[in-house]
Amino acid sequence: MKSYCLKLWWLICVAALVPLLTPTALATDHNDGTPLSNDFKWMNLNLMYAYKELPRKEDEAKDGHDYLELEFGGRSGILDLYGYVDVFNLTNRDNSDKKNKPKMFMKFAPRLSLAGLFNNLPWGPVTDVYLATLFNWGGGGGANFDPVSKKNIPGEDANSSFWGIGSDLQVPWFGKMGLNLYGFYDLNRKEWNGYQVSTNWFTPFYTFQNGSFISYQGYLDYQFGGKQNKTLYPNSENPDKDHATSGGAMFNGLYWHYDKFALGYGLKLYSNVYLIKDGGNAFGAKTKASGTSHFFAISYKF
């Protein structure tokens, strides 16, 4: 069921690209003689708890972990930016599944607006086009299970980069959505390894009399065209068994927002996430890389 959801969203993403290929779409004129006035910035402090986040060993005894997330974004001139820094297991609890694992993870996603450089570039529902990049740093990697010693060899921190083209789209009901298509370059292995399509959304859909509202917010990352060779995975006894050529994750969040505060729950769906094959040995014997996990959040907005 989860893999079907990811495939459905992949089709939606492809459908959203159709307006880019439609020559009859109306142009939007940005050359009105005034400076661009769409600069903004925001920052959230999120206290989170993740229950059975994937990938993980199927027989993992510890269920979840708390973490503090500094999330930020904005626009300044032609530069659009999103990112966050996570600090795991804040009190260093022994029963956390992040015990004795890397403490921090960072995602950094700058995009360079082509609409800010060239006039009349966006058209129709496309409000901007970007040179898009994405970087993931830290957080640890696969456990690299050694079948001889029957022990897990700690993996490298993530050092992954994505390079491609992005866009902002106006989609019915969802409103503004980001849609990016990248090539994936592994900075640890110094090798290209397939592609990723990513989309994200923030959609308020119910407002209360006191001004608070409920939103549906989330993202979808789907990788495809990946390799399974021994060069990319030198510690894997059998890359075909441990790693997949496609996979991804989809986060579905329901959040209540009031003034500077927010409370939220997120259901995350996985299918061979990070190109790690479900049932393989990338995170130890019988790695679980497909399924669901649950996230709970308390947020303060600066």
Side-chain angles (χ1 to χ4, degrees):
M1 180 64 185
K2 302 147 189 99
S3 60
Y4 287 120
C5 291
L6 288 173
K7 290 177 181 178
L8 175 61
W9 271 90
W10 165 240
L11 292 174
I12 292 173
C13 292
V14 172
L17 282 172
V18 171
L20 293 172
L21 306 176
T22 306
T24 57
L26 298 177
T28 302
D29 188 7
H30 288 271
N31 188 21
D32 59 358
T34 61
L36 293 175
S37 59
N38 59 347
D39 288 6
F40 65 95
K41 57 185 175 181
W42 59 270
M43 185 168 65
N44 293 340
L45 191 62
N46 307 317
L47 182 60
M48 309 279 294
Y49 187 82
Y51 179 71
K52 292 191 175 181
E53 185 178 16
L54 303 183
R56 61 194 284 122
K57 291 189 297 182
E58 194 172 73
D59 59 353
E60 174 68 58
K62 300 167 184 176
D63 287 332
H65 61 270
D66 61 283
Y67 62 102
L68 187 67
E69 179 175 87
L70 181 64
E71 185 183 23
F72 54 88
R75 173 76 177 256
S76 179
I78 62 173
L79 182 64
D80 177 270
L81 179 64
Y82 172 77
Y84 60 80
V85 179
D86 291 340
V87 181
F88 304 115
N89 194 16
L90 300 173
T91 58
N92 207 33
R93 294 182 301 111
D94 290 335
N95 62 346
S96 169
D97 60 9
K98 290 293 186 180
K99 179 70 173 179
N100 297 324
K101 294 182 179 179
K103 197 74 175 178
M104 300 182 70
F105 174 80
M106 179 176 182
K107 183 182 289 286
F108 189 66
R111 301 189 301 173
L112 188 66
S113 169
L114 296 181
L117 294 174
F118 306 100
N119 292 328
N120 302 329
L121 186 61
W123 62 90
V126 183
T127 60
D128 212 332
V129 179
Y130 301 90
L131 295 176
T133 61
L134 169 64
F135 301 89
N136 295 323
W137 295 309
N144 298 323
F145 180 72
D146 182 2
V148 177
S149 64
K150 305 298 182 182
K151 295 181 180 180
N152 293 327
I153 302 171
E156 298 174 290
D157 273 349
N159 282 286
S160 38
S161 65
F162 299 80
W163 306 80
I165 190 166
S167 64
D168 288 336
L169 306 173
Q170 287 294 330
V171 179
W173 192 80
F174 281 94
K176 178 182 174 181
M177 295 181 67
L179 179 62
N180 307 300
L181 177 63
Y182 307 101
F184 170 37
Y185 184 73
D186 189 324
L187 293 167
N188 285 334
R189 305 286 178 254
K190 305 296 188 292
E191 187 170 350
W192 293 96
N193 188 23
Y195 308 91
Q196 176 169 304
V197 62
S198 298
T199 185
N200 57 79
W201 60 92
F202 179 93
T203 308
F205 66 90
Y206 188 85
T207 302
F208 298 94
Q209 290 184 348
N210 64 358
S212 65
F213 64 91
I214 299 176
S215 67
Y216 172 45
Q217 57 196 76
Y219 61 85
L220 170 70
D221 294 328
Y222 186 77
Q223 291 181 259
F224 59 97
K227 304 173 185 177
Q228 298 171 301
N229 60 51
K230 195 72 174 177
T231 303
L232 274 171
Y233 306 108
N235 294 319
S236 176
E237 283 292 309
N238 187 347
D240 289 342
K241 179 181 178 181
D242 297 341
H243 300 278
T245 59
S246 63
M250 178 185 179
F251 183 84
N252 300 274
L254 290 176
Y255 281 67
W256 173 70
H257 296 261
Y258 181 68
D259 193 25
K260 289 185 173 295
F261 297 92
L263 296 174
Y265 163 75
L267 174 66
K268 195 168 183 179
L269 310 176
Y270 304 84
S271 177
N272 293 331
V273 65
Y274 308 131
L275 301 183
I276 296 170
K277 185 170 288 188
D278 189 54
N281 293 329
F283 267 67
K286 295 184 178 179
T287 292
K288 188 168 180 59
S290 297
T292 62
S293 63
H294 307 272
F295 291 78
F296 305 89
I298 301 174
S299 301
Y300 183 83
K301 308 174 189 179
F302 287 86

